[in-house]
């Protein structure tokens, strides 16, 4: 009987193991200690114990290699001394030596070896047996007691983390036992060639037991023997031990599964499995995304490639397996976990998961937490305030235009392709993807999606803010304060009235972005969701990128072990913006990447400190007009400041409470938002008709306002008895703040209104739908000597056709100059016939729009000149669109071959465009798969176990919460809950 102990940098546990070995009631005849080149005091511990044989192996040796080195050294000793121990054999029998394998942390009970040998004596056919492996810190709990294989080839510990109460004493034959405390017949070890070297870290014991069974041996459990282990934190070897990272551990386990599958397969099956290694890795990659485990994708591929290129020598392992097998693998079916048992095990696991996640089940209960009332209020507000839009299929006005009529046209404007009607080619704005996605949702009428956004903006804002506030407090009143204040935010109503689609999307998405971002360090699904929302926010308002980057950097710093997930968040947005940034950088305007997407629309922003008043324009939402009707002359900024004061005071109070973290973060981010708004008000990156257009500051104000509301909730959580009055005052102030702007759609003061979807006269629109390259020259007289000229194609310019590459250009391009020459030529004294030039551009119509300023004289002069030009025919006055002229013998597409060729460029014809679309689409699809709610309970339990809760989410900790009552068979039970724990309802009871 020889005990072989393997140690690697484990002086302390090794001392206990060797001491326990010396205290065995049945002492081993020989003891071999194999030291895997330890760098601690293990050598001194071994020397003090004075084993019969000490062997030192390389630092990278596996457990199996260390055992093999010990056996080989022992064989050399035996060659010099042929006296063999025949304790369990009689004269003439084959040598009956036994090996007992122990790791440095495997402390056996005093009678462990005696119980193992007793099992061998009672079972003559036995060749391998194993003890109960129990926890070192709690010997009453089993770490492992037998191993088997599930239908998915996963190695399963039969009894893990179970309290040992003698309920497993009847177990006998099993597929495998752990290497910790394994007792092996020497003849079996030599016959099978020891552990498979292709399994250096895991499953080597299971594989050895399987080969034992198939070579006419038997593997039995010894219920009376117990050996301690440090479980997942086992000292082990340098290949696998307490320092092994989870993903590295998974890679080793996956490599072992693939190696076993190949080694245990037949000839054709071996070849087929080898061919499917890489396709299988791709399939598992998708499963990992759905299960919220993207970190396992690369280890899966590494494992597949290791087997593909023979790193584990699976072919040699298969030959050894076949050489020692006397029975087919199917003969072990009774020892495998059956599908029904596997389903039962998974069902039990799900029940455990449900019990764990139920503790947070009430926190985000939208209905019982007061969210239902907030949603009802938001829906009623939408129905009343947006009533004129309820039956609209298309809306337009202000900065808003309809979308293209087909989803093919929407997606054609993404990626790399045509960027303006003059034939300019370049990359699209990331906002083009947002518009394409919106239009696809209502594919039968893409512009309807914008109407849906307008009608859902208030409810979605309210719900998003409610969930964000639920991160910090369980108090319904405080959640309602955040939700109502956010849905009644001034910048949202101004954006809705002025047609700022990007600003509306930012306002809706921001609370959801922060809600997901708070959980991103704990959950891959939350990180992926946050990354997609970050794309929406950044694409809709690029000027927010610097502020969001600062917030992201801070989140990475404080994320702890979840920093990798936080680092992932900006990657999709970076992939979407990188082509545009490179293009703008090459043009010498890198800052133009922050330009607002969509149609440039001039406005007069609030500047400097007035940006903190949360109104984007100098009209302050119509407060001046409202007060003027009543003959009041008040200081409007002061009045607005008074209405904002309740939220500001609550936020400041939060700095001096236990909610100081949330309050400090909220105020800091609010300051960043206000600073961004102040800078944006003085920054013009685009222009239209010679007028510089400042960046829209409403989106930055949304960031500031959301942070201010969050900080105010943190302060209100600690107000005690005056909490509800303070919340009511804040409610009233939020309502009063938007009194002038809220009914804009009812009073007709909003720029946005129902539309028939046309941006050009009906004649042009009808012909342009069938001829996409049909050109219309639009001339708008501005002043006595100024006019704005631009070219539109097809049925007119749509919102998704705008590009910041075109709107941020510093100098007019050649096409602009030629169009200007044609337009000015109409006013020349000599008769001109520009037919040839018009045909080169494919211009079939000329539209003179009414002058918005003092250009009436120029407009009249232009109409007179066009009416007398022999190249044109008057098509009539089209009302609000202006006066239309048709080109004689017009061409429906440019006759200039170069221009016609550029107009035919699509986002799939260029190699750069195809590559860009592929990369961006792959990243977005990756994030979508990762964000889908398919991880189930397991993903939530992993997140909870790995990270737990944070101080940010404990504003109510230690405070008395509202009493809840339970009713059971007519008996009402009152309980008072605390922030840490809420008493569960009695069995059979119903939560009231």
């Amino acid at each position: 009987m020889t005990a072989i102990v393997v140690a690697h940098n484990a002086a302390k546990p090794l001392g206990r193991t060797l001491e326990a070995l010396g205290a065995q009631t049945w002492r081993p005849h020989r003891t071999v200690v194999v030291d895997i080149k330890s760098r601690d005091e293990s050598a001194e511990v071994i020397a003090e114990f004075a084993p019969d044989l000490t062997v030192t192996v390389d630092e990278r040796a596996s457990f199996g290699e260390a055992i093999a080195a010990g056996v080989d050294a022992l064989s050399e000793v035996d060659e010099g001394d042929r006296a063999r121990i025949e304790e369990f054999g009689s004269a003439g029998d084959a040598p009956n030596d036994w090996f007992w394998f122990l790791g440095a942390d495997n402390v056996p009970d005093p009678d462990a070896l005696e119980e193992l040998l007793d099992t061998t004596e009672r079972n003559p056919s036995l060749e391998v047996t194993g003890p109960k492996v129990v926890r070192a810190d709690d010997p009453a709990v089993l770490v492992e007691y037998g191993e088997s294989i599930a239908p998915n080839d996963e190695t399963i510990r039969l009894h893990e983390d179970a309290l040992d109460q003698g309920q497993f004493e009847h177990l006998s034959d099993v597929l495998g036992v752990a290497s910790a405390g394994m007792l092996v017949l020497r003849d079996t070890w030599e016959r099978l060639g020891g552990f498979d070297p292709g399994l250096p870290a895991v499953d080597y014991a299971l594989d050895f037991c399987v080969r034992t069974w198939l070579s006419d041996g038997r593997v039995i459990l010894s219920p009376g023997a117990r050996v301690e282990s440090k479980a997942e934190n086992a000292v082990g070897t340098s290949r696998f031990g307490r320092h092994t990272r989870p993903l590295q551990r998974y890679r080793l386990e996956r490599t072992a599964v693939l190696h076993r599958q190949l080694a245990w397969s037949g000839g054709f099956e071996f070849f087929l499995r080898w061919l499917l290694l890489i396709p299988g890795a791709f399939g598992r990659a998708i499963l990992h995304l759905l299960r919220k485990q993207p970190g396992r994708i690369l280890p899966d591929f590494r494992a597949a490639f290791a087997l593909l290129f023979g790193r584990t020598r699976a072919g040699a392992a298969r030959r050894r397996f076949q050489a020692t097998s006397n029975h087919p693998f199917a003969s072990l079916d009774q020892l495998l976990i059956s599908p029904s048992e596997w389903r039962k095990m998974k069902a039990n696991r799900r029940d455990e998961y449900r019990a764990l996640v139920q503790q947070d089940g009430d926190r985000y209960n939208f209905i019982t937490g007061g969210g239902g009332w907030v949603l009802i209020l938001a829906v009623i507000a939408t129905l009343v305030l947006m009533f004129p839009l309820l039956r609209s299929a298309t809306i337009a006005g202000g900065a808003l235009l309809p979308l293209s009529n087909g989803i093919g046209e929407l997606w054609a404007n993404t990626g790399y392709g045509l960027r303006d009607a003059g034939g300019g080619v370049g990359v699209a704005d990331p906002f083009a993807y947002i518009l394409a996605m919106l239009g696809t949702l209502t594919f039968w009428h893409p512009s309807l999606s914008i109407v849906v956004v307008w009608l859902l903006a208030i409810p979605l804002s309210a719900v998003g803010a409610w969930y964000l506030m639920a991160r910090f407090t369980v108090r319904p009143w405080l959640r309602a304060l955040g939700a109502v204040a956010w849905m009644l935010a001034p910048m949202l109503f101004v954006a809705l009235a002025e047609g700022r689609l990007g600003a509306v999307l930012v306002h809706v998405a921001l609370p959801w972005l922060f809600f997901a971002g708070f959980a991103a360090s704990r959950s891959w699904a939350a990180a992926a969701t946050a990354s997609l929302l970050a794309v929406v926010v950044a694409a809709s308002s690029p000027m927010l990128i610097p502020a969001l980057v600062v917030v992201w950097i801070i989140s990475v710093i404080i994320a702890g072990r979840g920093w990798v997930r936080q680092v992932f968040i900006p990657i999709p947005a970076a992939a979407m913006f990188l082509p545009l940034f490179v293009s703008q950088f090459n043009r010498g305007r890198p800052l133009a990447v922050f330009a607002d997407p969509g149609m440039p629309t001039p406005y007069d922003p609030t500047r400097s400190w007035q940006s903190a008043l949360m109104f984007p324009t100098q009209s302050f939402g119509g407060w001046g007009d409202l007060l003027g009707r009543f003959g009041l002359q008040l200081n409007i900024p002061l009045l607005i400041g008074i209405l904002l004061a309740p939220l500001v005071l609550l936020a400041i109070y939060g700095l001096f409470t236990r909610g100081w973290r949330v309050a400090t973060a909220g105020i800091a981010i609010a300051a960043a938002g206000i600073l961004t708004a102040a800078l944006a008000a003085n920054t013009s990156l685009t222009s239209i008709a010679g007028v510089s257009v400042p960046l829209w500051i409403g989106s930055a104000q949304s960031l500031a306002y959301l942070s201010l509301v969050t900080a105010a909730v943190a302060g209100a959580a600690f107000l005690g008895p005056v909490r509800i009055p303070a919340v009511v005052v804040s409610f009233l102030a939020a309502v009063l703040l938007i009194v002038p702007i809220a009914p804009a759609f009812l009073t007709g003061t909003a720029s946005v209104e129902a539309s028939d979807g046309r941006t050009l006269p009906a004649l042009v629109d009808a012909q342009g739908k069938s001829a996409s390259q049909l050109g219309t020259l639009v001339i708008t007289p501005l002043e006595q000597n100024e006019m704005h000229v631009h070219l539109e194609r097809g049925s007119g310019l749509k919102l998704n056709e705008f590009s910041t590459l075109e709107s941020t250009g510093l100098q007019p391009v050649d096409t602009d100059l030629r169009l200007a020459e044609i337009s000015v030529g109409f006013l020349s004294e000599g008769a001109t016939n520009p037919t040839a030039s018009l045909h080169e551009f494919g211009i079939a119509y000329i539209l003179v729009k009414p002058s918005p300023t003092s250009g009436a004289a120029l407009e009249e002069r232009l109409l007179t000149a066009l009416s007398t030009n022999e190249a044109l025919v008057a098509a009539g006055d089209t009302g609000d669109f202006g006066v239309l002229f048709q080109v004689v013998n017009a061409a429906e597409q440019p006759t200039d071959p170069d221009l016609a060729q550029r107009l035919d460029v699509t986002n799939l014809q260029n190699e750069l465009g195809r590559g860009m679309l592929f990369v961006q689409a792959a990243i977005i699809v990756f994030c979508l798969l990762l964000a889908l709610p398919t991880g189930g309970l397991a993903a939530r339990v992993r997140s909870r176990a790995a990270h737990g809760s944070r101080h940010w989410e404990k504003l109510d900790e230690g405070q008395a919460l509202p009493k809840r009552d339970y009713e059971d068979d007519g008996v009402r039970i009152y309980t008072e809950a605390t922030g840490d724990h809420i008493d569960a309802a009695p069995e059979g009871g119903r939560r009231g």
Side-chain angles (χ1 to χ4, degrees):
M1 169 62 228
T2 302
I4 303 178
V5 183
V6 178
H8 176 64
N9 293 331
K12 185 175 180 180
L14 177 61
R16 294 186 61 236
T17 299
L18 295 178
E19 182 181 351
L21 196 59
Q24 290 295 301
T25 56
W26 205 105
R27 295 284 298 275
H29 296 96
R30 290 173 296 188
T31 301
V32 178
V33 178
V34 183
D35 182 16
I36 308 181
K37 246 184 189 175
S38 298
R39 300 179 181 179
D40 59 359
E41 296 79 20
S42 297
E44 289 80 355
V45 174
I46 296 172
E48 182 179 353
F49 179 74
D52 297 286
L53 185 62
T54 300
V55 181
T56 302
V57 295
D58 184 76
E59 186 178 10
R60 289 294 297 166
S62 66
F63 186 87
E65 290 170 342
I67 293 291
V71 172
D72 291 342
L74 187 64
S75 299
E76 293 178 3
V77 174
D78 287 340
E79 286 295 330
D81 181 6
R82 300 302 301 172
R84 307 295 299 274
I85 302 171
E86 299 179 359
E87 181 69 24
F88 301 102
S90 57
D93 290 342
N96 200 21
D97 291 1
W98 292 89
F99 293 144
W100 191 23
F101 302 148
L102 295 169
D105 72 317
N106 300 141
V107 182
D109 283 0
D111 61 345
L113 182 56
E114 183 177 0
E115 291 289 343
L116 290 170
L117 293 174
D118 182 63
T119 303
T120 66
E121 188 174 356
R122 288 184 284 103
N123 298 274
S125 61
L126 173 72
E127 295 186 3
V128 177
T129 185
K132 290 179 180 176
V133 184
V134 298
R135 295 186 63 91
D137 55 350
D138 187 0
V141 178
L142 293 175
V143 171
E144 180 178 353
Y145 189 46
E147 295 180 352
S148 187
I149 301 175
N152 63 351
D153 285 331
E154 177 184 348
T155 301
I156 300 297
R157 294 178 175 180
L158 294 179
H159 305 288
E160 183 180 14
D161 293 332
L163 189 64
D164 182 18
Q165 297 177 319
Q167 69 271 38
F168 306 123
E169 304 299 319
H170 64 285
L171 298 179
S172 178
D173 295 53
V174 290
L175 184 65
V177 296
S179 61
M182 173 189 284
L183 188 67
V184 182
L185 188 64
R186 180 169 185 168
D187 179 63
T188 303
W189 176 267
E190 293 175 348
R191 182 177 75 250
L192 298 179
F195 293 141
D196 186 347
L199 297 170
V202 292
D203 286 357
Y204 49 86
L206 177 67
D207 171 79
F208 184 82
C209 291
V210 168
R211 289 188 285 139
T212 299
W213 276 109
L214 297 180
S215 63
D216 294 321
R218 189 180 179 194
V219 181
I220 297 180
L221 293 170
S222 294
R226 293 163 57 91
V227 171
E228 292 182 6
S229 172
K230 291 190 177 181
E232 294 299 328
N233 295 321
V235 177
T237 68
S238 60
R239 298 286 189 96
F240 192 81
R242 60 184 176 183
H243 298 299
T244 306
R245 297 185 301 273
L247 290 181
Q248 183 182 1
R249 185 182 299 261
Y250 171 76
R251 176 178 62 83
L252 294 172
E253 292 171 349
R254 184 60 188 163
T255 303
V257 170
L258 295 177
H259 179 87
R260 286 193 288 104
Q261 289 176 341
L262 290 175
W264 297 352
S265 60
F268 177 75
E269 183 184 358
F270 177 91
F271 180 70
L272 184 62
R273 286 186 179 275
W274 183 81
L275 288 179
L276 294 177
L277 284 171
I278 303 304
F282 277 104
R284 290 182 64 84
I286 297 176
L287 289 178
H288 290 321
L289 290 178
L290 296 176
R291 293 171 179 171
K292 318 309 172 197
Q293 297 172 307
R296 293 187 171 186
I297 295 177
L298 184 57
D300 249 319
F301 276 99
R302 289 186 63 185
F305 279 113
L307 271 296
L308 184 69
F309 295 108
R311 292 288 300 275
T312 66
R313 300 179 181 177
R318 177 185 168 274
R319 289 191 293 271
R320 288 194 301 270
F321 183 84
Q322 296 293 335
T324 58
S325 297
N326 299 326
H327 306 283
F329 188 84
S331 62
L332 302 178
D333 285 349
Q334 291 185 344
L335 299 176
L336 303 178
I337 296 176
S338 66
S340 60
E341 291 175 323
W342 181 232
R343 287 192 295 270
K344 185 183 298 184
M345 292 174 67
K346 291 193 292 185
N348 293 336
R349 188 182 304 174
R350 284 194 297 268
D351 291 340
E352 295 175 1
Y353 288 166
R354 288 192 184 96
L356 290 173
V357 302
Q358 185 62 36
Q359 300 177 32
D360 286 337
D362 291 338
R363 187 176 189 89
Y364 301 108
N365 194 316
F366 186 73
I367 302 300
T368 61
W373 292 107
V374 172
L375 180 59
I376 291 174
L377 177 62
V379 171
I380 292 174
T382 299
L383 293 176
V384 173
L385 299 177
M386 302 286 180
F387 183 77
L389 305 182
L390 292 181
R391 300 183 62 182
S392 304
T394 306
I395 56 177
L400 188 64
L401 287 177
L403 299 178
S404 295
N405 295 320
I407 60 175
E409 299 175 49
L410 289 173
W411 288 104
N413 283 289
T414 62
Y416 184 91
L418 185 67
R419 294 280 77 88
D420 60 69
V425 176
V427 298
D429 299 325
F431 191 60
Y433 292 91
I434 307 300
L435 296 178
M437 286 295 299
L438 287 175
T440 304
L441 294 177
T442 55
F443 59 89
W444 61 95
H445 186 66
S447 294
L448 178 62
S449 62
I450 298 181
V451 181
V452 174
V453 170
W454 249 243
L455 296 179
L456 293 182
I458 296 176
L460 286 179
S461 297
V463 174
W466 186 93
Y467 273 102
L468 178 60
M469 301 309 145
R471 285 278 186 210
F472 311 117
T473 178
V474 298
R475 299 180 183 278
W477 276 94
L478 297 184
R479 298 179 182 189
L481 168 62
V484 173
W486 182 244
M487 81 177 190
L488 299 180
M491 68 290 301
L492 172 62
F493 284 85
V494 174
L496 290 170
E498 296 197 6
R500 306 282 181 172
L501 175 60
V504 173
L505 294 176
V506 167
H507 195 88
V508 171
L510 271 178
W512 296 103
L513 171 61
F514 281 97
F515 176 78
F518 269 105
S521 61
R522 293 174 285 176
S523 165
W524 275 110
T529 302
S531 70
L532 294 174
L533 291 168
V535 170
V536 174
V537 173
S540 301
S541 183
M543 72 168 181
L544 289 181
I545 292 177
L548 293 178
V549 167
V550 173
V551 175
W552 168 71
I553 291 174
I554 296 175
S555 70
V556 172
I557 294 174
I558 66 176
R561 290 180 297 169
W563 67 270
V564 175
R565 297 181 182 89
Q566 290 285 355
V567 167
F568 170 79
I569 291 177
I571 292 178
M576 303 300 290
F577 272 92
L578 182 60
L580 180 62
F581 174 77
V582 172
S583 296
Q584 294 286 19
F585 183 83
N586 291 335
R587 299 170 69 201
R589 299 202 69 191
L591 293 181
V593 74
F594 300 117
D596 290 328
M599 182 172 66
T601 305
Y603 78 108
D604 189 12
T606 53
R607 302 179 187 277
S608 64
W609 64 270
Q610 291 186 348
S611 300
L613 298 178
M614 303 304 165
F615 281 94
T617 65
Q618 289 287 352
S619 66
F620 292 103
W623 269 105
D625 295 338
L626 178 64
L627 296 177
R629 294 175 189 171
F630 295 96
L632 299 176
Q633 298 293 329
L634 298 179
N635 187 315
I636 295 176
L638 177 61
L639 175 62
I640 295 175
I642 293 174
L643 295 177
L644 287 173
L647 291 177
V648 175
L649 292 176
L650 288 175
I652 295 174
Y653 175 73
L655 296 174
F656 305 97
T657 66
R658 284 191 294 106
W660 64 269
R661 293 180 181 85
V662 177
T664 302
I667 292 176
I669 298 175
I674 293 171
L675 178 61
T676 302
L679 293 175
N682 297 289
T683 304
S684 297
L685 298 174
T686 60
S687 62
I688 186 169
V691 178
S692 296
V693 180
L695 295 175
W696 177 256
I697 69 172
S699 300
Q701 290 175 326
S702 291
L703 176 64
Y705 193 63
L706 178 62
S707 305
L708 177 64
V709 169
T710 304
V713 168
F718 298 93
L719 282 178
V722 298
R723 180 186 304 109
I724 293 181
V727 170
V728 172
V729 171
S730 301
F731 278 150
L732 295 176
V735 173
L736 292 175
L737 198 61
I738 62 164
V739 165
I741 188 64
F745 290 95
L746 298 175
T747 60
T749 58
S751 300
V752 176
E753 59 184 3
S755 169
D756 57 6
R758 290 189 292 112
T759 58
L760 289 176
L763 176 62
V764 183
D765 181 77
Q767 188 175 352
K769 288 180 179 178
S770 58
S772 61
Q773 293 188 9
L774 180 76
T776 301
L777 183 63
V778 181
I779 305 175
T780 306
L782 300 176
E783 303 292 342
Q784 292 184 0
N785 58 351
E786 293 181 9
M787 58 184 177
H788 178 224
V789 180
H790 70 279
L791 180 62
E792 298 185 22
R793 295 200 180 274
S795 58
L797 196 59
K798 300 298 189 290
L799 185 63
N800 54 286
E801 294 177 349
F802 282 91
S803 169
T804 55
L805 284 180
E806 191 273 335
S807 62
T808 59
L810 289 175
Q811 300 295 332
V813 297
D814 180 65
T815 300
D816 297 330
L817 296 176
R818 293 177 60 189
L819 291 175
E821 290 175 358
I822 294 173
S823 302
V824 173
F826 289 126
L827 297 173
S828 62
E829 295 183 0
T832 60
N833 189 339
T835 302
S837 297
L838 295 175
H839 284 183
E840 287 181 2
F841 283 99
I843 297 175
Y845 294 93
I846 297 176
L847 177 66
V848 180
K849 302 190 74 172
S851 175
T853 54
S854 56
L858 180 60
E859 178 184 349
E860 183 178 353
R861 179 185 170 190
L862 183 61
L863 291 175
T864 301
L866 293 175
S867 300
T868 59
N869 194 299
E870 61 181 10
L872 305 175
V873 176
D877 190 345
T878 60
D880 293 338
F881 288 107
V883 181
L884 182 66
F885 296 88
Q886 187 172 8
V887 178
V888 176
N889 297 324
E892 291 189 344
Q893 60 183 11
T895 58
D896 183 348
D898 292 336
L899 178 58
Q901 183 179 6
R902 292 198 302 271
L903 293 179
D904 284 333
V905 173
T906 68
N907 55 0
L908 296 177
Q909 290 180 345
N910 182 274
E911 291 184 4
L912 175 63
R914 289 195 298 269
M916 187 176 70
L917 281 174
F918 175 80
V919 172
Q920 291 176 337
I923 293 176
I924 296 301
V925 170
F926 177 90
C927 293
L928 284 173
L929 291 176
L930 195 56
L932 289 175
T934 54
L937 294 172
R940 296 168 63 185
V941 169
R942 284 194 302 269
S943 170
R944 179 183 177 88
H947 301 277
S949 58
R950 298 290 180 86
H951 292 292
W952 303 88
E953 304 172 30
K954 294 183 178 180
L955 293 183
D956 303 306
E957 185 177 18
Q959 301 185 65
L961 300 181
K963 291 184 177 181
R964 303 191 180 196
D965 55 285
Y966 305 95
E967 186 173 346
D968 186 16
D969 296 332
V971 180
R972 187 173 294 274
I973 304 171
Y974 295 92
T975 63
E976 184 163 341
T978 65
D980 293 323
H981 174 69
I982 297 177
D983 293 335
E987 185 177 356
R990 176 179 61 85
R991 177 160 291 185

